[in-house]
Amino acid sequence: MEKKIINLGIFGFGVVGQGLYEVLNRTKGINARIKKICIKDPNKTRPIDQSYFTTDPNDILNDPTIDVVVELINDTQAAFEIVSTALKNGKAVVSASKRMIAENLPALYQLQVENKVPFLYEASSCASIPIIRNLEEYYDNDLLNAVEGICNGSTNYILTKIFEENLSFDVALQQAQDKGFAETDPTLDIEGYDPKFKVVILLLHAFGTFVKPEQVYNFGISHLNDFDIQFAKQRNCTIKLIGHIRRSNGNVHAFVLPHLVKEHNLLFDVYNEYNGILLESAFTDKQFFVGKGAGGTATGSAVLSDISALLYNYRYEYKKIKQQNQPTFTNDVQLKVYVRYKSPEHVDLASFYNITEKYESPECRYVVGTINLQKLVDSAWLQNKDVNLLVLE
Amino acid sequence: MEKKIINLGIFGFGVVGQGLYEVLNRTKGINARIKKICIKDPNKTRPIDQSYFTTDPNDILNDPTIDVVVELINDTQAAFEIVSTALKNGKAVVSASKRMIAENLPALYQLQVENKVPFLYEASSCASIPIIRNLEEYYDNDLLNAVEGICNGSTNYILTKIFEENLSFDVALQQAQDKGFAETDPTLDIEGYDPKFKVVILLLHAFGTFVKPEQVYNFGISHLNDFDIQFAKQRNCTIKLIGHIRRSNGNVHAFVLPHLVKEHNLLFDVYNEYNGILLESAFTDKQFFVGKGAGGTATGSAVLSDISALLYNYRYEYKKIKQQNQPTFTNDVQLKVYVRYKSPEHVDLASFYNITEKYESPECRYVVGTINLQKLVDSAWLQNKDVNLLVLE
């Protein structure tokens, strides 16, 4: 596609779609223009000319002059159908739909192989951080040890407000929603589903291993209370919701859990809606990337970087899938955790491998100990709103 | 070059060359092999088989089966000749020689245009941080406001030891040299020349403006004394040597100067031989990259990422050079600085725009005030070992 102008067909004109429009409009160096935007509601007032819009997906999917389909809608099932059809029609696709991608990675991988067209989705994982492309280009899977970080802007915003401005959870959540950082359904964020989708995507690009979202354990920040916050502050720590992927002995484990983070940790200073990703590898030791993980123009500019990469026919090579030594996904790993609860029948202390600290007061109890990740996956007791968990470093 | 094996001809087998050899050997996913290594001294014992080596550059430059020349030598003039000849002979070139590249950017740019071959040099700027490729792909020049950061591993190592372990400057320098972080000539590092070469390269990829190294002012850390260190510590600050590039009103200014850095600044926590680069742009606000800025395998793996990019015919587009609105380089900018000196005749206080603080004791004097960068460029008084300068935030 070199030297020619790329015609874009866009699905969705919400926060990210409008962000992309703005970014594209102000970026002079890119040979791409919007030809058509497919939206659901034809009667909604739009900030740009009506001639851009259609409600018929086929106006984009069957238009031979449209080179690239940009999929930016919220409906997971509809998004998958649009992306599949576009790929089958031989169009390059750029998408920001982490959930749709995470849930359909094997099928999408096959589709882009069979139809020999690029499918790029940098914006789906940590928005403005070019993490997928770095994993694709910089690491052989036997050299990479771990990928971990803060990959949800809205929970990080909430946690920042709680720790830096002493706001309550509810007030901080409301602020995040007012600023447009929280997703349509805030439980996806605060219960750790959104970062889990990113973990699933990053795991494939980091280690070549396909996992389903339901295989990856997630526990968010909705159980957090003042006692936990004081526990962290007394130890000069903060709390961050961290997606974690680590390879060891031919296996790889992954989870999304709230962590107690010490001051020397690079993730400590990732504030507000920013995301931060830490890579550990044999040759470069640690690499750290920080950037805005939410917001229209930050995500829009990640989408634009994919469009820009299509101009030189870039596509993900998925080299690690093709190699022989992909690690096997496991939940069999020991974690050092703090578990806070109200009364002894709320938790199953017998499921701990060991317990090194135990605290009791009339208001609250907690233990610090080691527990196998599989036990957390199997535990019903963690569903109790009066129980919280934090991973310790 | 897709799907085939790339044959490499390497010049130089020092720290980076051996690092590349190790990285390449342990990376299974890359279709590249070393065919020949050109070295200066045939009698030196080498850790790998003698059949790899030659002392005749033409064994590489004139070998039609060699696709990519990797230039990793210290001699700037010889490096330029090798790279020029290789490009003229239609070979792709990967180089890590920041000084050679910074001093010859216009000529090298022309050579890769005329000969239609890629010339990549990610390893030349901040080793393991993929900063050039990010500037190439993620930012239009009118959207990027600033690029700044720690881009010299050895001075950062020295400053970390001074601030974290209370070592003296000399002991810290010795340790950096023992660890192989310091260049052959340590003055290139500690007087800020090495980071300046990187600033020149980054300035072109960030804003499309060619500058010569001698246009960019550099003042390193060799004048640093205990008083300066105490001054920083009393203010809960650290000192970092920072390369800074900022666009404003159609102009761009750049310099390498030691800075007083506050705790909230992301650069504060970049320790030891790590580098950190902060980008400021209209859409993504701030992006921050941290990675090892020195050492054989860290630099080797950056070289490898360039080799890997050649497999899909990647080349720098230099889009910003082709645009119309490159900013003009200027030194006309006001800086807030601390200047410490021994006696009044050592400094030219009249060259300050204003002075807001003045301190005098029998041992030491300092002022805090605003001064134009051009005055620093013109000042002879800063050459005096008894005078030091720090930029304040």
Side-chain angles (χ1 to χ4, degrees):
Chain A
M1 282 185 271
E2 220 171 344
K3 300 288 167 214
K4 74 158 202 163
I5 286 186
I6 288 189
N7 285 312
L8 306 174
I10 299 176
F11 286 86
F13 203 63
V15 176
V16 180
Q18 291 177 46
L20 173 63
Y21 178 85
E22 188 189 338
V23 172
L24 198 56
N25 240 4
R26 285 180 55 193
T27 303
K28 300 195 185 83
I30 181 127
N31 290 322
R33 68 163 172 231
I34 298 172
K35 192 161 177 210
K36 215 35 120 183
I37 302 169
C38 183
I39 37 100
K40 244 188 348 207
D41 181 356
N43 301 316
K44 216 176 191 172
T45 325
R46 306 287 177 178
I48 62 169
D49 196 80
Q50 275 298 334
S51 65
Y52 275 112
F53 296 100
T54 177
T55 53
D56 182 0
N58 292 322
D59 283 355
I60 289 173
L61 295 170
N62 293 334
D63 181 344
T65 67
I66 286 180
D67 312 286
V68 176
V69 168
V70 182
E71 181 281 304
L72 307 171
I73 66 174
N74 267 325
D75 178 335
T76 302
Q77 188 49 38
F80 179 64
E81 275 162 31
I82 288 161
V83 170
S84 308
T85 311
L87 292 170
K88 286 177 192 158
N89 290 1
K91 295 188 189 305
V93 177
V94 174
S95 169
S97 299
K98 46 224 154 199
R99 180 177 192 162
M100 181 277 288
I101 296 166
E103 289 179 350
N104 298 284
L105 260 178
L108 292 166
Y109 169 72
Q110 276 309 324
L111 278 166
Q112 59 88 38
V113 170
E114 283 162 16
N115 296 288
K116 299 185 176 61
V117 275
F119 174 46
L120 305 179
Y121 39 88
E122 187 65 80
S124 71
S125 299
C126 308
S128 72
I129 303 178
I131 181 64
I132 296 179
R133 225 177 295 173
N134 271 281
L135 290 172
E136 278 285 303
E137 293 178 34
Y138 274 74
Y139 300 96
D140 208 35
N141 69 350
D142 57 342
L143 303 175
L144 190 64
N145 298 318
V147 179
E148 68 164 348
I150 296 162
C151 41
N152 178 270
S154 48
T155 47
N156 201 48
Y157 184 89
I158 292 166
L159 291 168
T160 304
K161 293 290 158 187
I162 290 172
F163 276 84
E164 300 292 312
E165 296 175 23
N166 296 315
L167 295 192
S168 74
F169 185 87
D170 293 337
V171 173
L173 171 61
Q174 188 58 50
Q175 280 196 9
Q177 287 179 313
D178 293 347
K179 291 216 165 198
F181 299 145
E183 304 283 321
T184 319
D185 178 0
T187 61
L188 283 182
D189 293 319
I190 61 174
E191 293 182 3
Y193 287 93
D194 172 88
K196 173 160 89 164
F197 300 137
K198 294 161 186 170
V199 161
V200 168
I201 297 169
L202 296 180
L203 208 158
L204 180 66
H205 290 275
F207 297 109
T209 305
F210 284 102
V211 293
K212 292 186 182 127
E214 51 271 32
Q215 291 176 273
V216 176
Y217 186 64
N218 59 296
F219 182 85
I221 60 167
S222 59
H223 293 198
L224 201 67
N225 75 6
D226 285 343
F227 188 88
D228 307 325
I229 294 163
Q230 285 317 312
F231 179 86
K233 285 186 174 171
Q234 281 159 9
R235 280 149 190 81
N236 293 317
C237 288
T238 190
I239 294 171
K240 297 289 189 188
L241 184 60
I242 289 180
H244 181 99
I245 309 170
R246 184 173 291 275
R247 188 177 61 94
S248 61
N249 304 322
N251 293 322
V252 63
H253 65 266
F255 53 77
V256 175
L257 291 170
H259 282 58
L260 210 68
V261 174
K262 290 182 189 150
E263 241 181 289
H264 74 269
N265 189 320
L266 284 163
L267 295 170
F268 187 97
D269 289 320
V270 177
Y271 295 123
N272 294 320
E273 76 271 30
Y274 278 83
N275 284 191
I277 295 282
L278 205 47
L279 305 182
E280 261 182 60
S281 75
F283 292 136
T284 53
D285 204 352
K286 285 189 179 178
Q287 266 187 297
F288 184 51
F289 300 85
V290 178
K292 275 199 179 171
T297 55
T299 312
S301 71
V303 171
L304 188 63
S305 80
D306 279 349
I307 296 169
S308 176
L310 291 172
L311 285 160
Y312 62 89
N313 298 314
Y314 178 75
R315 57 184 302 170
Y316 300 148
E317 290 289 327
Y318 297 97
K319 280 180 237 165
K320 293 149 194 173
I321 296 180
K322 295 167 193 159
Q323 291 171 17
Q324 305 295 310
N325 52 345
Q326 289 89 352
T328 309
F329 185 77
T330 183
N331 279 319
D332 182 14
V333 61
Q334 303 286 28
L335 299 178
K336 190 177 176 196
V337 297
Y338 149 99
V339 170
R340 184 257 310 149
Y341 53 103
K342 228 176 188 151
S343 79
E345 72 273 17
H346 284 165
V347 292
D348 176 22
L349 294 182
S351 62
F352 277 71
Y353 175 75
N354 69 28
I355 289 175
T356 54
E357 289 177 49
K358 210 163 177 175
Y359 171 89
E360 288 182 24
S361 75
E363 293 77 34
C364 189
R365 293 155 187 258
Y366 75 80
V367 292
V368 169
T370 306
I371 192 165
N372 195 290
L373 177 56
Q374 187 60 49
K375 301 272 187 189
L376 296 180
V377 175
D378 298 336
S379 71
W381 49 268
L382 266 169
Q383 307 302 316
N384 187 334
K385 253 283 202 183
D386 287 330
V387 178
N388 193 30
L389 171 114
L390 298 171
V391 177
L392 308 183
E393 283 184 286
Chain B
M1 281 183 270
E2 221 169 343
K3 302 285 166 216
K4 73 157 201 163
I5 286 187
I6 289 189
N7 285 311
L8 306 175
I10 299 177
F11 285 86
F13 203 62
V15 176
V16 180
Q18 292 177 46
L20 173 63
Y21 178 84
E22 188 190 339
V23 172
L24 199 55
N25 242 5
R26 286 180 52 193
T27 304
K28 299 194 183 85
I30 182 130
N31 291 322
R33 65 160 176 232
I34 297 172
K35 194 165 176 207
K36 217 31 123 183
I37 302 169
C38 183
I39 37 101
K40 242 186 352 204
D41 181 356
N43 301 316
K44 216 177 192 169
T45 326
R46 304 288 176 178
I48 61 170
D49 196 79
Q50 276 297 334
S51 65
Y52 276 113
F53 296 100
T54 177
T55 53
D56 182 0
N58 291 324
D59 284 354
I60 290 174
L61 296 170
N62 294 336
D63 181 344
T65 69
I66 286 180
D67 313 286
V68 176
V69 168
V70 182
E71 181 282 302
L72 307 170
I73 65 175
N74 266 326
D75 178 335
T76 302
Q77 188 51 37
F80 180 64
E81 277 161 30
I82 289 162
V83 170
S84 308
T85 310
L87 292 171
K88 285 177 194 157
N89 290 2
K91 296 188 189 305
V93 177
V94 175
S95 169
S97 299
K98 45 223 154 198
R99 181 178 191 160
M100 181 279 286
I101 296 166
E103 288 178 349
N104 296 285
L105 260 178
L108 292 166
Y109 169 73
Q110 276 308 323
L111 277 167
Q112 60 88 36
V113 169
E114 283 162 14
N115 297 287
K116 300 185 178 59
V117 276
F119 173 46
L120 304 180
Y121 38 89
E122 187 64 80
S124 70
S125 298
C126 308
S128 71
I129 303 177
I131 182 65
I132 296 179
R133 225 176 296 172
N134 270 283
L135 290 172
E136 278 286 301
E137 293 178 34
Y138 275 74
Y139 299 98
D140 208 39
N141 70 350
D142 57 341
L143 303 175
L144 190 63
N145 297 319
V147 179
E148 67 163 349
I150 296 163
C151 41
N152 180 269
S154 49
T155 48
N156 202 47
Y157 183 90
I158 293 166
L159 290 169
T160 302
K161 293 290 159 190
I162 290 172
F163 275 84
E164 300 292 312
E165 297 175 22
N166 297 314
L167 296 191
S168 73
F169 184 87
D170 293 338
V171 173
L173 171 61
Q174 189 57 51
Q175 281 196 8
Q177 285 177 315
D178 293 346
K179 293 217 164 197
F181 300 144
E183 303 283 322
T184 319
D185 178 0
T187 60
L188 282 183
D189 293 319
I190 61 175
E191 292 182 5
Y193 287 94
D194 172 88
K196 174 159 90 164
F197 299 138
K198 294 162 186 171
V199 161
V200 168
I201 295 169
L202 296 181
L203 209 158
L204 181 65
H205 289 275
F207 297 109
T209 305
F210 284 102
V211 293
K212 294 187 180 125
E214 53 270 34
Q215 291 176 273
V216 176
Y217 186 64
N218 61 297
F219 182 84
I221 60 166
S222 59
H223 293 198
L224 201 67
N225 75 4
D226 286 342
F227 188 88
D228 306 325
I229 294 163
Q230 285 317 312
F231 179 84
K233 285 185 174 172
Q234 281 159 9
R235 280 150 191 81
N236 293 317
C237 288
T238 190
I239 294 171
K240 297 288 187 188
L241 185 60
I242 289 179
H244 181 100
I245 308 171
R246 184 174 290 275
R247 187 178 62 94
S248 61
N249 305 323
N251 292 322
V252 63
H253 65 266
F255 52 77
V256 175
L257 292 170
H259 282 58
L260 210 67
V261 173
K262 290 180 189 151
E263 241 181 288
H264 75 268
N265 190 321
L266 285 163
L267 295 170
F268 187 97
D269 289 319
V270 178
Y271 295 123
N272 294 319
E273 75 271 31
Y274 278 82
N275 284 191
I277 294 282
L278 204 48
L279 306 182
E280 261 182 59
S281 75
F283 292 135
T284 54
D285 204 351
K286 285 189 179 176
Q287 267 187 296
F288 184 50
F289 300 86
V290 178
K292 274 200 179 170
T297 55
T299 313
S301 71
V303 171
L304 187 64
S305 81
D306 280 349
I307 295 170
S308 177
L310 291 172
L311 284 160
Y312 62 88
N313 298 313
Y314 178 76
R315 59 185 300 171
Y316 300 148
E317 290 289 326
Y318 297 97
K319 282 178 237 166
K320 294 150 194 175
I321 296 180
K322 295 165 192 160
Q323 290 171 18
Q324 305 294 310
N325 52 345
Q326 289 89 351
T328 309
F329 185 78
T330 182
N331 279 319
D332 182 13
V333 61
Q334 302 285 27
L335 300 178
K336 190 175 176 196
V337 296
Y338 149 98
V339 171
R340 184 258 311 150
Y341 53 102
K342 228 177 187 149
S343 80
E345 72 272 17
H346 285 165
V347 292
D348 175 22
L349 294 183
S351 62
F352 277 71
Y353 175 75
N354 69 31
I355 288 174
T356 55
E357 290 177 48
K358 212 164 178 176
Y359 170 90
E360 286 184 25
S361 74
E363 293 78 34
C364 189
R365 293 156 187 257
Y366 75 80
V367 292
V368 169
T370 305
I371 192 166
N372 195 290
L373 177 57
Q374 187 59 49
K375 299 272 185 188
L376 296 180
V377 175
D378 298 337
S379 70
W381 49 269
L382 266 170
Q383 308 302 316
N384 186 333
K385 254 281 203 182
D386 288 330
V387 178
N388 193 30
L389 170 113
L390 298 171
V391 176
L392 308 184
E393 285 183 281

